[in-house]
Amino acid sequence: MPALVPELSVSDIAASRRFYCDVLGFAVRYERPEEGFAYLAFGPAELMLDQIGEGRDWITGPLVPPLGRGVNFQIEVTEIDPICTRIEAAGTPLFQSIEIRTYSTAQGPVMQRQFCVQDPDGYLLRFCERM
């Protein structure tokens, strides 16, 4: 298992599961429907979805949409174009259209193509492919 797996509190587990699986391409590793919980993976990227108000919640303050303010989750994939095409076909607007960015790292500059999209609760997802 990865050392870090974010768990996102969601308002509608069914809608979030549809978005992550049907639109973005995540797969369900396992779920606990009675708790409103799903563990998802996209290649080596993993995350958990947890229905607010079912099971145990880890709520540290008021949940006011959009959720996840101040954080974006970068998900590195081999190709962003098929994901972007599915998002557009679903009628979901991109938060940031495809762009090419170069970032300085300890190993030198890294260039990537990337875009951002918000999930149904407003969590910001940044898909990128290395160039």
Side-chain angles (χ1 to χ4, degrees), residues 62-131:
L63 294 175
V64 179
L67 302 181
R69 293 179 192 172
V71 66
N72 77 76
F73 298 99
Q74 178 175 285
I75 303 163
E76 187 173 332
V77 297
T78 55
E79 288 186 84
I80 62 171
D81 292 323
I83 303 163
C84 196
T85 299
R86 289 193 305 270
I87 291 168
E88 291 172 346
T92 303
L94 297 180
F95 182 86
Q96 168 65 55
S97 59
I98 293 176
E99 63 179 358
I100 297 174
R101 294 290 309 263
T102 302
Y103 297 104
S104 297
T105 73
Q107 291 76 37
V110 172
M111 184 182 297
Q112 63 188 39
R113 290 180 70 225
Q114 64 185 19
F115 72 87
C116 295
V117 64
Q118 287 182 283
D119 81 353
D121 288 294
Y123 291 103
L124 190 58
L125 309 169
R126 179 168 38 133
F127 286 87
C128 69
E129 66 181 32
R130 298 284 170 112
M131 299 181 67

Side-chain angles (χ1 to χ4, degrees), residues 11-23:
S11 59
D12 182 340
I13 188 76
S16 292
R17 190 179 181 283
R18 274 191 305 277
F19 179 76
Y20 279 89
C21 294
D22 299 345
V23 177

Side-chain angles (χ1 to χ4, degrees), residues 5-17 20 35-38 47-69 71 73 119-124:
V5 181
E7 181 174 281
L8 308 180
S9 298
V10 299
S11 59
D12 182 340
I13 188 76
S16 292
R17 190 179 181 283
Y20 279 89
E35 294 180 24
F37 176 87
L47 61 82
M48 299 176 281
L49 302 175
D50 182 57
Q51 171 76 46
I52 298 166
E54 292 187 30
R56 179 171 54 181
D57 292 323
W58 303 98
I59 307 299
T60 58
L63 294 175
V64 179
L67 302 181
R69 293 179 192 172
V71 66
F73 298 99
D119 81 353
D121 288 294
Y123 291 103
L124 190 58

